[in-house]
């Protein structure tokens, strides 16, 4: 059986360099290009890449995806910075090239995907819920893509269940003291040397609290999800948002 021809964008970055090693080690894949900032995207076409793993920056990701979609190259995207406007733009490109598949995964690690699912399940049963994400201090964006997605899922689950607004008597606060408001869910971002990627979802009800915590201790935690995404996206046209769509979690 022929191997899946995979390229990496952002190949010298923290997660990109780990992805290069994981793809090289995968028996069913061939790493056909490993591009860094300044490299020409035409190299992807010359290398006949079937799938690109996009691990760059929010400033670069849209230009890279525009090129990939136009050239029929499927994409597995870990880069953050996804807004409704960006998603709409990507969907419109994919409508023009409907055979191309793009997976955007706010987090590739199974523990983080499960954290999001558990938080979504638990949220309607508690009065209060807040998200705390903790990352290495070299991270460019805050809050993390994972925390933003977690808060959105929590808010959607609470809205569907008809939950009351969260209790919060704060009338005066320093800017930022109550975190960022993501669809009504407070999200707090901590940047600390020594950390990699961590998240807590704190839920509170009368006389009890529940804490769901996940820790990525090494970039290897993201690799099985990236490889799964690359294998599945080639047969999944259109936009898939979230690795959970490629996992049987029920
Ligand atoms: N979805 C997930 O599970 C994960 C997502 N991430 C996200 O992946 C992104 C990258 O994270 P890190 O590796 O920590 O950042 P990083 O800064 O270490 O790496 C990014 C790399 O992309 C390169 N780059 C920038 N523009 C480029 C372009 N146009 N073409 C090719 N290369 C380009 C940079 O020079 C840099 O080497 C971030 O958005 C981060 O949040 C990180 C870890 C896990
Ligand atoms: O920048 C990182 O490191 C990470 N970014 C992603 C995010 O913003 O959620 C995934 C993970 O948290 C690591």
């Amino acid at each position: 059986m022929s191997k899946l021809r995979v390229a990496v964008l952002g190949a010298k970055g923290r997660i990109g360099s780990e992805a290069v090693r994981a793809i090289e080690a995968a028996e069913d894949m061939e790493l056909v290009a490993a591009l860094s900032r300044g490299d020409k995207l035409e190299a992807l076409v010359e290398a006949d890449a079937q799938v690109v793993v996009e691990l760059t920056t929010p400033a670069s990701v849209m230009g890279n995806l525009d090129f990939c979609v136009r050239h029929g190259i499927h994409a597995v995207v870990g880069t953050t910075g996804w807004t409704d406007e960006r998603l709409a733009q990507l969907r419109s490109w994919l409508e023009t090239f409907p055979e191309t598949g793009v997976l955007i995964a706010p987090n590739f690690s199974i523990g983080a995907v499960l954290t999001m699912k558990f938080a979504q399940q638990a949220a309607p049963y508690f009065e209060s819920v807040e998200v705390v994400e903790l990352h290495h201090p070299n991270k460019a964006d805050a809050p993390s893509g994972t925390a933003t997605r977690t808060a959105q899922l929590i808010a959607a689950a609470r809205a569907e269940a008809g939950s009351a607004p969260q209790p919060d008597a704060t009338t005066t606060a320093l800017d930022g003291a109550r975190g960022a408001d993501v669809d009504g869910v407070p999200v707090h971002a901590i940047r600390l040397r020594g950390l990699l990627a961590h998240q807590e979802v704190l839920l509170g009800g009368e006389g009890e609290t529940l804490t769901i915590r996940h820790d990525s201790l090494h970039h290897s935690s993201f690799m099985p999800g990236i490889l799964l995404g690359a294998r599945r996206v080639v047969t999944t046209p259109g936009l898939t948002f979230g690795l959970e769509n490629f996992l049987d979690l029920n």
Side-chain angles (χ1 to χ4, degrees):
M1 212 174 75
S2 63
K3 294 189 178 190
L4 190 60
R5 300 173 63 78
V6 186
V8 176
L9 288 178
K12 291 188 180 149
R14 279 177 289 271
I15 184 168
S17 52
E18 187 78 25
V20 163
R21 284 190 286 277
I23 292 160
E24 282 176 331
E27 287 186 355
D28 60 337
M29 294 185 191
E30 182 184 356
L31 182 75
V32 295
L35 305 190
S36 302
R37 191 192 288 277
D39 290 342
K40 293 228 173 334
L41 292 173
E42 284 68 23
L44 301 172
V45 180
E46 286 156 21
D48 196 19
Q50 290 171 277
V51 188
V52 154
V53 177
E54 217 288 356
L55 301 165
T56 64
T57 65
S60 298
V61 64
M62 292 305 281
N64 289 338
L65 288 181
D66 182 18
F67 181 94
C68 290
V69 172
R70 276 190 289 112
H71 288 84
I73 303 171
H74 309 286
V76 171
V77 183
T79 303
T80 45
W82 289 98
T83 59
D84 289 346
E85 293 71 28
R86 284 182 166 215
L87 289 170
Q89 173 72 81
L90 177 56
R91 281 197 184 92
S92 84
W93 292 337
L94 287 166
E95 273 167 25
T96 313
F97 297 92
E99 281 164 23
T100 309
V102 175
L103 165 69
I104 298 173
N107 203 303
F108 289 112
S109 84
I110 183 68
V113 172
L114 289 172
T115 298
M116 288 186 257
K117 188 171 175 66
F118 296 158
Q120 194 179 4
Q121 286 176 334
Y125 297 99
F126 292 85
E127 278 183 63
S128 302
V129 53
E130 306 217 2
V131 178
V132 184
E133 57 95 332
L134 311 90
H135 280 82
H136 58 89
N138 303 104
K139 183 167 175 56
D141 55 316
S144 69
T146 307
T148 303
R149 180 66 177 155
T150 305
Q152 289 168 341
L153 292 169
I154 288 168
R158 287 172 68 89
E160 197 183 327
S163 303
Q166 302 208 44
D168 184 354
T170 310
T171 51
T172 57
L174 276 182
D175 273 358
R178 293 289 294 118
D181 180 328
V182 179
D183 295 351
V185 179
V187 179
H188 310 268
I190 288 166
R191 297 292 173 265
L192 201 69
R193 186 66 71 203
L195 296 181
L196 178 56
H198 318 257
Q199 178 164 288
E200 283 189 2
V201 181
L202 308 165
L203 302 116
E206 199 60 48
E208 64 174 333
T209 66
L210 170 66
T211 302
I212 305 167
R213 181 175 171 112
H214 173 254
D215 299 275
S216 265
L217 305 171
H218 191 273
H219 279 99
S220 55
S221 62
F222 305 114
M223 296 306 122
I226 289 180
L227 298 182
L228 172 70
R231 289 178 187 118
R232 293 288 304 274
V233 77
V234 292
T235 55
T236 312
L239 177 61
T240 303
F241 196 94
L243 187 69
E244 60 276 16
N245 293 289
F246 290 168
L247 298 166
D248 185 9
L249 295 181
N250 293 322

